[in-house]
């Protein structure tokens, strides 16, 4: 797990092994930071308690779909976009892997 400017990014392996609660927590925190909101500000916008927002981000509380929708709306996106987690994969590692795949796509494997 890497942190760039307080964002949380995962390696592909970490992403594959992460629970849904963890993915929601990382996504929520990254979106909150993108919107320059504190936990308290997001909680106010979503009509939630500030401590509840922190508990969600720390994977201490499970969250309902209704609450997720309130959070997503407060972040200016719809729930479907909120639940798109591929942005959590480390962009540096993702680019390195993609470049390696492109570089090796034309090579033939011989025995």
């Amino acid at each position: 797990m890497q942190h760039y400017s307080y964002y949380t990014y995962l390696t592909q392996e970490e992403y594959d092994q992460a629970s849904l609660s963890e993915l929601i927590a990382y996504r929520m925190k990254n979106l909150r930071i993108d919107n320059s909101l504190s936990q308290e500000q997001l909680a106010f916008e979503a009509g939630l308690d500030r401590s509840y927002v922190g508990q969600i981000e720390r994977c201490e509380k499970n969250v309902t779909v209704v609450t997720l929708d309130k959070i997503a709306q407060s972040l200016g996106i719809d729930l479907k976009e909120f639940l798109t987690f591929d942005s959590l994969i480390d962009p540096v590692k993702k680019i390195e892997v993609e470049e390696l795949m492109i570089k090796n796509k034309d090579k033939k494997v011989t025995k």
Side-chain angles (χ1 to χ4, degrees), residues 56-108:
I56 296 168
E57 287 187 1
R58 292 188 304 275
C59 299
E60 294 172 356
K61 292 282 185 185
N62 291 321
V63 62
T64 67
V65 173
V66 172
T67 301
L68 276 180
D69 191 44
K70 288 178 186 178
I71 292 167
Q73 287 179 19
S74 297
L75 294 166
I77 60 174
D78 63 22
L79 185 57
K80 183 177 179 180
E81 185 178 348
F82 182 94
L83 295 172
T84 303
F85 301 119
D86 59 344
S87 65
L88 294 173
I89 299 172
D90 186 334
V92 174
K93 297 291 183 194
K94 190 175 181 182
I95 290 169
E96 289 173 359
V97 168
E98 288 170 356
E99 287 175 350
L100 185 61
M101 289 173 66
I102 290 169
K103 183 179 173 182
N104 291 323
K105 81 174 189 174
D106 293 326
K107 291 185 179 178
K108 295 185 179 183

Side-chain angles (χ1 to χ4, degrees), residues 40 42-50 52-53 56 67 70-71:
E40 185 174 8
L42 176 58
F44 178 79
E45 293 293 325
L48 304 171
D49 188 86
R50 189 219 46 88
Y52 185 57
V53 169
I56 296 168
T67 301
K70 288 178 186 178
I71 292 167

Side-chain angles (χ1 to χ4, degrees), residues 6-8 26-34 88:
Y6 302 102
Y7 288 136
T8 299
Y26 300 143
R27 179 79 166 134
M28 184 170 130
K29 181 179 178 187
N30 288 357
L31 288 168
R32 180 175 59 75
I33 291 168
D34 276 346
L88 294 173

Side-chain angles (χ1 to χ4, degrees), residues 3-55:
H3 300 278
Y4 303 112
S5 303
Y6 302 102
Y7 288 136
T8 299
Y9 292 111
L10 307 172
T11 64
Q12 184 67 52
E13 184 178 349
E14 290 169 330
Y15 176 84
D16 292 341
Q17 294 176 359
S19 69
L20 182 57
S21 293
E22 290 171 321
L23 294 175
I24 288 170
Y26 300 143
R27 179 79 166 134
M28 184 170 130
K29 181 179 178 187
N30 288 357
L31 288 168
R32 180 175 59 75
I33 291 168
D34 276 346
N35 284 276
S36 303
L37 295 173
S38 66
Q39 288 179 348
E40 185 174 8
Q41 290 167 320
L42 176 58
F44 178 79
E45 293 293 325
L48 304 171
D49 188 86
R50 189 219 46 88
S51 64
Y52 185 57
V53 169
Q55 290 169 329

